[in-house]
Amino acid sequence: MTASVDVKPSPDRLYGRPRTHALRPRQQRLMDQTLPRLRFPAAAMADPATGFGHRPAQIWVEVGFGGGEHSLAQHAAHPDVGYIACEVYENGLCSLLSRLVPEDGAEDTAPLPDMLRVWDEDARILLRGLPAQSIDRLFLMFPDPWPKSRHAKRRFVHPEMVKMVARVLRPGAIWRVASDDPTYQAWVEEVMAAQDLFDTAPPATVRPEGWAPTRYEAKAIRAGRQPMYWTFTRR
């Protein structure tokens, strides 16, 4: 290892509120009727390829999909990939589900993608339960930066999480990270310099080809913040 990061262990619990405002009637129907049909089954944890409509060529995971636009774009561009999109916030879940079910559609019967699944619990539970070397790509797009130093333990990019991510990724698999927050950007550089499980490279400052845009990226650029885009490769 080339450096040392001395921080408290990442807490084994969720922080923040699961929703930002009360759900409207359609949103509640999406949560009650659509989400259960799209949820990645815990019973498939031991062999995640069985959690999709057919066995996927690869399995990708996105941690914290926000509004869902990145997950849906990646799924559309790679229809043979089994994609597990993780999000705990109900409003984000509703945003993704509403993109899949027409406004006048039946939330309990509308057709849903065979190769896209949603994990609506803490992503760390999923990553702990998946078999070693079972994932081909991981996405962390514009996560909550937890900018105060006393909250560093809550950041997903964390020395303990690096080990967890490394365990589930196959050799040669890619971990993509993007952030527009200067504190988080410096933190990513520090944490990844202190590990020897991933090959690292300087971040791109323009979204690379194949990276789908997100609303958070657009918001950052409008506000004059400079996003950075990292690609880490599992050794």
Side-chain angles (χ1 to χ4, degrees):
M1 296 189 181
T2 59
S4 175
V5 179
D6 183 15
V7 297
K8 295 180 180 179
S10 180
D12 192 20
R13 56 168 289 188
L14 292 173
Y15 285 84
R17 294 176 297 168
R19 71 174 60 158
T20 56
H21 54 72
L23 299 181
R24 298 186 293 275
R26 168 168 156 81
Q27 291 178 315
Q28 192 64 59
R29 292 195 302 273
L30 290 169
M31 293 294 294
D32 294 341
Q33 301 173 16
T34 309
L35 177 59
R37 299 195 292 130
L38 200 63
R39 183 179 284 127
F40 181 78
M45 196 86 78
D47 184 4
T50 63
F52 302 92
H54 59 270
R55 283 194 84 85
Q58 294 187 358
I59 299 176
W60 297 359
V61 174
E62 180 169 354
V63 175
F65 62 70
E69 62 271 15
H70 179 271
S71 296
L72 294 176
Q74 291 290 350
H75 167 67
H78 306 278
D80 292 331
V81 167
Y83 202 99
I84 306 175
C86 304
E87 182 58 66
V88 297
Y89 287 96
E90 290 184 348
N91 301 110
L93 291 163
C94 290
S95 177
L96 182 144
L97 297 173
S98 66
R99 295 167 186 261
L100 294 174
V101 178
E103 185 71 33
D104 59 351
E107 289 79 6
D108 59 344
T109 59
L112 297 173
D114 280 345
M115 303 301 283
L116 175 67
R117 294 292 179 263
V118 169
W119 180 262
D120 59 325
E121 298 184 60
D122 191 333
R124 292 169 296 183
I125 298 173
L126 176 70
L127 295 178
R128 288 194 193 99
L130 291 173
Q133 300 185 14
S134 59
I135 302 302
D136 299 277
R137 186 165 295 185
L138 189 81
F139 300 91
L140 182 68
M141 300 286 103
F142 299 91
D144 190 328
W146 292 105
K148 296 181 180 179
S149 59
R150 69 175 183 272
H151 293 156
K153 61 184 180 295
R154 303 182 187 178
R155 299 168 186 162
F156 188 86
V157 176
H158 182 282
E160 290 186 2
M161 287 305 306
V162 170
K163 297 174 186 176
M164 187 183 298
V165 169
R167 186 190 70 82
V168 299
L169 289 181
R170 305 182 196 276
I174 296 299
W175 180 14
R176 291 182 177 177
V177 179
S179 177
D180 64 290
D181 182 85
T183 299
Y184 204 85
Q185 292 168 349
W187 174 257
V188 170
E189 290 286 298
E190 181 181 359
V191 169
M192 297 308 291
Q195 56 79 44
D196 56 6
L197 299 169
F198 291 87
D199 290 328
T200 64
T205 55
V206 176
R207 176 163 32 89
E209 184 177 357
W211 291 54
T214 77
R215 66 178 68 181
Y216 301 103
E217 176 194 59
K219 181 179 179 180
I221 292 173
R222 288 196 302 268
R225 296 190 297 272
Q226 173 62 67
M228 291 186 177
Y229 310 85
W230 289 268
T231 298
F232 304 121
T233 305
R234 179 70 170 99
R235 291 179 176 173

